[in-house]
Amino acid sequence: MTPAFSIGLDLGGTNARAAAVDGLGRIVAVSKHKLADRSPDACAAALEACARDVVASLGRTLEDAEGIGLALAGQLDSLTGRVIVAPNLGWRDLDFGALLEARLGRKVAIGNDLAVAALGEARAGAARGMDDAILVFVGSGVGSGLILGGRIHHGFRGVSGEFGHVKVHPGGRPCGCGERGCLEAYAGGVNLGARAAELVRGGRASSLTFPEGLHPTMAMIERAAEEGDALCVELREEAAVLVGVATANLVTVLNPQVLVLGGGVLAGSPYARWRVEEVVRAHASRASLHGLLVVNPALGDDAGVIGGAFLARG
Amino acid sequence: MTPAFSIGLDLGGTNARAAAVDGLGRIVAVSKHKLADRSPDACAAALEACARDVVASLGRTLEDAEGIGLALAGQLDSLTGRVIVAPNLGWRDLDFGALLEARLGRKVAIGNDLAVAALGEARAGAARGMDDAILVFVGSGVGSGLILGGRIHHGFRGVSGEFGHVKVHPGGRPCGCGERGCLEAYAGGVNLGARAAELVRGGRASSLTFPEGLHPTMAMIERAAEEGDALCVELREEAAVLVGVATANLVTVLNPQVLVLGGGVLAGSPYARWRVEEVVRAHASRASLHGLLVVNPALGDDAGVIGGAFLARG
């Protein structure tokens, strides 16, 4: 007999995933479907297929799940439950929850992907058992998930945690969000690639080579930095310091017990990962550093589905 | 018959205050004693005298209070209950709660003064009924109080809200806290006065006049700025922009429903109060500004005792 389980769902830009997760956060069954297209209907269908796979593999039904929770890469309005904007999916102002609930015949708790991942890490991962946990994520974009008092801090409208859009150079580089000077415009992987391309095309010496119309990837920038390319060393250093100081300020104000440093840029660059932590320890208030743990995520790609299962449990 | 009441206590650098507060946050009796000296014993004695005055004036005893809560201007360790440091009182590493509880014969809930003031404003003041409220305070120092999910966010060790010590110019001006580049070093009233004095003594033209060995006050800087003194205009503007951007970043990350802008510097400078709000609205993420209220505090000097009474109720 399968133990009690909840279902965690995760919708990224490429895949839909589902897992049945027990009360301790252990995955008992899992399923992944590549998205055929990113229309809301196709995405809801993919999530439904994953969820039905998972329960079928356990010889159970959706009705047997204690709850269903979804991690979605986008801004959600917690008052209305609507998706405000989900750039990776190309959605804007959409009641995706209603669509999914109609298919599954069950209530679905929805949360922002990083907030849900932070919940997963706080309940069953690198921050297990810690009530005040901050996940800072540096990948193609920059974001955060805040677990305060043991629960996701959603904020008034559910758009808390937009750490990538704190202003580090007010009025500075334009950001994908339409504003200027955001942390993500300087430290997100996509923007770092774009800046490197701009600077090289503007005549700056660098070993980077990349085809016309494309940008170097973070992996290319990291490799060149490791080989001593001055431009890449400089960009990587600037990004790490900006992320570090902004994270230090978050630690000073929120006094978490644990800081989880995640995302592809930090996972792919031991230097950046080390430097961010060093800058946090240099610039957060002394009192807030007392006893602070700084850790890597432990759940990898499963953070969303595990967090989603905990979200469903409330 | 007096209705049910709790007792709120407030210990600043100059006065001890107590109030009996009803369940709606209305003060039913109040007492204030000037501190004879700032020794822990003298402060505990002054708070005890205030508390006993208040209950005596109601014909009641301390045992009749539903609870007792204290707002204290200092850093508190929420794990041990000890005062880490209280610069205005000259204290460091002290179990003031035990001292006070021995005198009162009752348990006392203790909170940082700005956190407790924010709780007062959120329960009975300018942010009444709002669960996510941030109080930003710009006076001689700079700080904040965070009400998240209807309760004070203490953080892991109770030192959250140290907004004056977020870094705005890492490695920059030395701050009273022993670090460099803190917001308070640029925007706190005491530091602004010190900077003005430095610049004038260094030969910068200004209409400010002040005796050798002293600094101009914020009121002097504000008056000179209003009369067009370029140095004072510049210092006031820089401070307002730094506070505004740091506050915008707090709003972006925490998505509060209401932002309360308090403290003597903002109360004394209509320009700075206006400019901080303008900068917040220019730099916080668009989503976090949706429906955000920006208000002045409503409880004045009573915020600490009213908040203290709510702190006692939990």
Side-chain angles (χ1 to χ4, degrees), chain A residues 115-204:
Chain A
V116 172
L119 184 65
E121 295 287 351
R123 296 280 175 89
R128 183 195 296 241
M130 300 185 220
D131 275 355
D132 290 301
I134 295 179
L135 168 67
V136 161
F137 179 94
V138 188
S140 22
V142 176
S144 69
L146 309 179
I147 306 301
L148 304 178
R151 306 175 69 88
I152 293 176
H153 173 67
H154 291 288
F156 172 48
R157 302 286 301 208
V159 298
S160 73
E162 290 283 343
F163 181 63
H165 304 288
V166 301
K167 299 301 178 287
V168 294
H169 290 303
R173 280 181 66 83
C175 181
C177 72
E179 299 174 26
R180 285 179 169 274
C182 297
L183 176 58
E184 181 168 298
Y186 295 85
V190 170
N191 284 307
L192 266 177
R195 285 186 74 197
E198 269 172 49
L199 291 164
V200 170
R201 290 195 179 109
R204 176 74 191 260

Side-chain angles (χ1 to χ4, degrees), chain B residues 2-9 18-22 25-31 50-51 54-55 57-58 65 305-306 309 313:
Chain B
T2 321
F5 66 95
S6 288
I7 293 177
L9 305 173
V21 179
D22 73 11
R26 293 174 303 204
I27 290 180
V28 293
V30 68
S31 170
C50 289
V54 158
V55 290
S57 77
L58 298 172
V305 288
I306 293 174
R313 290 194 179 92

Side-chain angles (χ1 to χ4, degrees), chain B residues 140-151:
Chain B
S140 17
V142 176
S144 69
L146 310 179
I147 306 301
L148 304 178
R151 307 175 68 88

